[in-house]
Amino acid sequence: SGMQLMASIAATDIVAAGTAQVMVQNPGDGTSGTWEFSVTGAPTLAIKSTHSGNFTQGQAGATYILTVSNVGTGSTLGTVTVTDVLPAGLTATAISGTGWGCTQPSGPCTRSDVLVGGASYPYITLTVSVSATAPSLLTNQVNVSGAGSNPASGSDATTIVSSASSPPAPLSSNPAAGSGNATFAFTFSDPRG
């Protein structure tokens, strides 16, 4: 129209963050002024699952930490969804994270606040129980999708040890603290009895 010109812009033209200049040329009438606009780039979500140490057959309260980050240059827009696919031998008992809305006990977890490029959301804690017959190696699979990013996944290989092969675990110290020539009594629990 006389007041508006619409044009399609190829995704390859705005893949990198920076500024772009636009001008209009009408054959025979010259060109318009040049306008600059910012290109923020696209969000690129990534997810990882981590845990500490080995899990033990029959263990309750084992935890995975799920972290979603935006490794792209643009900010997210819309809902981010995290799903976790536990292998046979692990059963979810609870899932939560600051700012996340999670369906109990195993998710999915969602949130819609903006995540700028280079930043991460607060982590999600997934608590699981380990079957008494779980195999010696399991892999936790996590996925993230939405918010203008391509879906992404991550995995976390977890070693499962039998309770009979676990080392003794500390239970208490008496006194709990001290200095000088204090005598301490340490109590341990041995899974082999």
Side-chain angles (χ1 to χ4, degrees):
S1 73
M3 301 298 294
Q4 183 179 27
L5 175 66
M6 294 175 58
S8 297
I9 305 295
T12 55
D13 292 335
I14 57 173
V15 72
T19 58
Q21 295 181 340
V22 174
M23 71 174 204
V24 177
Q25 181 175 11
N26 189 359
D29 289 337
T31 60
S32 68
T34 301
W35 291 277
E36 286 193 3
F37 66 95
S38 295
V39 177
T40 58
T44 304
L45 293 176
I47 188 166
K48 68 178 180 177
S49 171
T50 58
H51 69 281
S52 181
N54 296 329
F55 291 177
T56 304
Q57 288 177 332
Q59 179 181 357
T63 58
Y64 286 104
I65 301 298
L66 314 180
T67 307
V68 174
S69 56
N70 180 356
V71 297
T73 56
S75 298
T76 60
L77 179 62
T79 302
V80 173
T81 302
V82 171
T83 56
D84 192 292
V85 182
L86 287 171
L90 298 178
T91 303
T93 57
I95 189 168
S96 65
T98 302
W100 290 94
C102 298
T103 302
Q104 294 301 320
S106 61
C109 294
T110 60
R111 66 186 305 148
S112 297
D113 52 322
V114 172
L115 182 63
V116 298
S120 296
Y121 283 126
Y123 62 85
I124 299 169
T125 302
L126 173 63
T127 306
V128 299
S129 61
V130 183
S131 165
T133 59
S136 61
L137 184 64
L138 296 174
T139 300
N140 184 36
Q141 180 74 35
V142 290
N143 303 294
V144 63
S145 61
S149 171
N150 288 328
S153 62
S155 61
D156 185 8
T158 309
T159 300
I160 310 295
V161 295
S162 70
S163 59
S165 67
S166 299
L171 291 180
S172 65
S173 170
N174 188 14
S179 62
N181 290 331
T183 299
F184 289 86
F186 298 100
T187 305
F188 292 83
S189 170
D190 188 336
R192 291 171 292 272

